[in-house]
Coordinates of all heavy atoms in Angstrom, one line a residue:
A10 N 0.8 -1.2 0.0 CA 0.0 0.0 0.0 C 0.9 1.3 0.0 O 0.6 2.2 -0.7 CB -0.9 0.0 1.2
F11 N 1.9 1.2 0.8 CA 2.8 2.4 0.9 C 3.5 2.6 -0.5 O 3.6 3.7 -1.0 CB 3.9 2.1 2.0 CG 4.9 3.2 2.2 CD1 4.5 4.4 2.9 CD2 6.1 3.1 1.6 CE1 5.5 5.4 3.1 CE2 7.1 4.2 1.8 CZ 6.7 5.3 2.5
T12 N 3.9 1.5 -1.1 CA 4.6 1.5 -2.4 C 3.6 2.1 -3.4 O 4.0 3.0 -4.2 CB 5.1 0.2 -2.8 OG1 6.0 -0.3 -1.8 CG2 5.8 0.2 -4.2
S13 N 2.4 1.6 -3.4 CA 1.3 2.1 -4.3 C 1.2 3.6 -4.2 O 1.2 4.3 -5.2 CB 0.0 1.5 -4.0 OG 0.0 0.1 -4.3
L14 N 1.0 4.1 -3.0 CA 0.8 5.5 -2.8 C 2.0 6.3 -3.3 O 1.8 7.3 -4.0 CB 0.6 5.7 -1.3 CG 0.2 7.1 -0.9 CD1 -1.1 7.5 -1.4 CD2 0.3 7.3 0.7
H15 N 3.2 5.8 -3.1 CA 4.4 6.6 -3.5 C 4.7 6.5 -5.0 O 5.4 7.2 -5.6 CB 5.6 6.3 -2.7 CG 5.5 6.9 -1.3 ND1 5.7 8.2 -1.1 CD2 5.0 6.4 -0.2 CE1 5.5 8.5 0.1 NE2 5.1 7.5 0.8
L16 N 4.0 5.5 -5.7 CA 4.1 5.4 -7.1 C 3.0 6.2 -7.8 O 2.8 6.2 -9.0 CB 4.0 3.9 -7.6 CG 5.3 3.1 -7.2 CD1 5.0 1.6 -7.6 CD2 6.5 3.6 -8.0
G17 N 2.1 6.8 -7.0 CA 1.0 7.5 -7.5 C -0.2 6.6 -7.9 O -1.0 7.0 -8.7
I18 N -0.2 5.4 -7.4 CA -1.3 4.5 -7.7 C -2.2 4.4 -6.4 O -1.7 4.2 -5.3 CB -0.7 3.1 -8.0 CG1 0.2 3.2 -9.2 CG2 -1.8 2.1 -8.2 CD1 1.0 1.9 -9.4
A19 N -3.5 4.4 -6.6 CA -4.4 4.3 -5.5 C -4.2 2.9 -4.8 O -4.3 1.9 -5.5 CB -5.8 4.4 -6.0
P20 N -4.0 2.9 -3.5 CA -3.8 1.6 -2.8 C -5.0 0.7 -3.0 O -4.8 -0.5 -3.0 CB -3.6 2.0 -1.4 CG -3.0 3.4 -1.5 CD -3.7 4.0 -2.6
W21 N -6.2 1.2 -3.1 CA -7.4 0.3 -3.2 C -7.2 -0.5 -4.5 O -7.6 -1.7 -4.6 CB -8.7 1.1 -3.2 CG -8.9 1.9 -4.5 CD1 -8.7 3.3 -4.6 CD2 -9.4 1.5 -5.7 NE1 -9.0 3.7 -5.8 CE2 -9.5 2.7 -6.6 CE3 -9.8 0.3 -6.2 CZ2 -9.9 2.6 -7.9 CZ3 -10.3 0.3 -7.6 CH2 -10.3 1.4 -8.4
A22 N -6.6 0.1 -5.6 CA -6.5 -0.6 -6.8 C -5.4 -1.8 -6.7 O -5.6 -2.8 -7.3 CB -6.1 0.3 -7.9
M23 N -4.4 -1.5 -5.9 CA -3.4 -2.6 -5.6 C -4.1 -3.8 -4.9 O -3.9 -4.9 -5.2 CB -2.3 -2.1 -4.7 CG -1.3 -3.1 -4.3 SD -1.7 -4.1 -2.8 CE -1.8 -2.9 -1.6
F24 N -5.1 -3.5 -4.0 CA -5.7 -4.5 -3.3 C -6.7 -5.4 -4.1 O -7.0 -6.5 -3.8 CB -6.5 -4.0 -2.0 CG -5.6 -3.8 -0.9 CD1 -5.3 -2.5 -0.4 CD2 -5.0 -4.8 -0.2 CE1 -4.4 -2.3 0.6 CE2 -4.1 -4.6 0.9 CZ -3.9 -3.4 1.3
I25 N -7.0 -4.8 -5.3 CA -7.8 -5.7 -6.3 C -6.9 -6.9 -6.7 O -7.4 -8.0 -6.7 CB -8.2 -4.8 -7.5 CG1 -9.2 -3.8 -7.1 CG2 -8.7 -5.7 -8.6 CD1 -10.6 -4.3 -6.7
G26 N -5.7 -6.6 -7.0 CA -4.7 -7.7 -7.4 C -4.5 -8.6 -6.2 O -4.4 -9.9 -6.4
W27 N -4.4 -8.1 -5.0 CA -4.2 -8.9 -3.8 C -5.3 -9.9 -3.6 O -5.2 -11.1 -3.4 CB -4.0 -8.0 -2.6 CG -3.9 -8.6 -1.2 CD1 -5.0 -9.2 -0.5 CD2 -2.8 -8.8 -0.4 NE1 -4.5 -9.7 0.7 CE2 -3.2 -9.5 0.7 CE3 -1.5 -8.5 -0.6 CZ2 -2.3 -9.8 1.7 CZ3 -0.6 -8.8 0.4 CH2 -1.0 -9.4 1.6
V28 N -6.5 -9.4 -3.7 CA -7.7 -10.2 -3.5 C -7.8 -11.2 -4.6 O -8.1 -12.4 -4.4 CB -9.0 -9.3 -3.4 CG1 -10.3 -10.2 -3.4 CG2 -9.0 -8.5 -2.1
A29 N -7.6 -10.8 -5.8 CA -7.6 -11.7 -7.0 C -6.7 -12.8 -6.8 O -7.0 -14.0 -7.0 CB -7.4 -10.9 -8.3
Y30 N -5.4 -12.5 -6.4 CA -4.4 -13.6 -6.2 C -5.0 -14.6 -5.2 O -4.8 -15.8 -5.4 CB -3.1 -13.0 -5.6 CG -2.1 -14.1 -5.4 CD1 -1.4 -14.7 -6.4 CD2 -1.9 -14.6 -4.1 CE1 -0.5 -15.7 -6.2 CE2 -1.1 -15.7 -3.9 CZ -0.4 -16.2 -4.9 OH 0.5 -17.3 -4.7
F31 N -5.6 -14.2 -4.1 CA -6.0 -15.2 -3.1 C -7.3 -15.9 -3.5 O -7.8 -16.7 -2.8 CB -6.1 -14.5 -1.8 CG -4.8 -14.4 -1.1 CD1 -4.2 -13.1 -1.1 CD2 -4.1 -15.5 -0.6 CE1 -2.9 -13.0 -0.5 CE2 -2.9 -15.4 -0.1 CZ -2.2 -14.1 0.0
T32 N -7.9 -15.7 -4.7 CA -8.9 -16.5 -5.2 C -8.4 -17.9 -5.6 O -9.1 -18.9 -5.7 CB -9.7 -15.9 -6.4 OG1 -8.8 -15.7 -7.5 CG2 -10.4 -14.6 -6.0
R33 N -7.1 -17.9 -5.9 CA -6.4 -19.2 -6.3 C -4.9 -19.1 -5.9 O -4.0 -19.0 -6.8 CB -6.5 -19.4 -7.8 CG -7.8 -19.7 -8.3 CD -7.8 -20.3 -9.7 NE -9.1 -20.5 -10.1 CZ -9.5 -20.6 -11.3 NH1 -8.6 -20.5 -12.3 NH2 -10.7 -20.9 -11.7
P34 N -4.6 -19.1 -4.6 CA -3.2 -18.9 -4.2 C -2.4 -20.2 -4.3 O -2.0 -20.8 -3.4 CB -3.4 -18.5 -2.8 CG -4.6 -19.2 -2.3 CD -5.5 -19.2 -3.5
I35 N -2.1 -20.6 -5.5 CA -1.4 -21.9 -5.7 C 0.1 -21.7 -6.0 O 0.9 -22.3 -5.4 CB -2.1 -22.7 -6.9 CG1 -3.5 -23.0 -6.5 CG2 -1.3 -24.0 -7.1 CD1 -4.4 -23.5 -7.6
S36 N 0.4 -20.8 -6.9 CA 1.8 -20.6 -7.4 C 1.9 -19.3 -8.1 O 1.0 -18.6 -8.4 CB 2.1 -21.7 -8.4 OG 1.3 -21.6 -9.6

């Protein structure tokens, strides 16, 4: 989240990828 903010990316948008990853956290 801190990295997102400092790259000018909304942290909520980063969490979309986080949540998506954990729909199938295999590899």
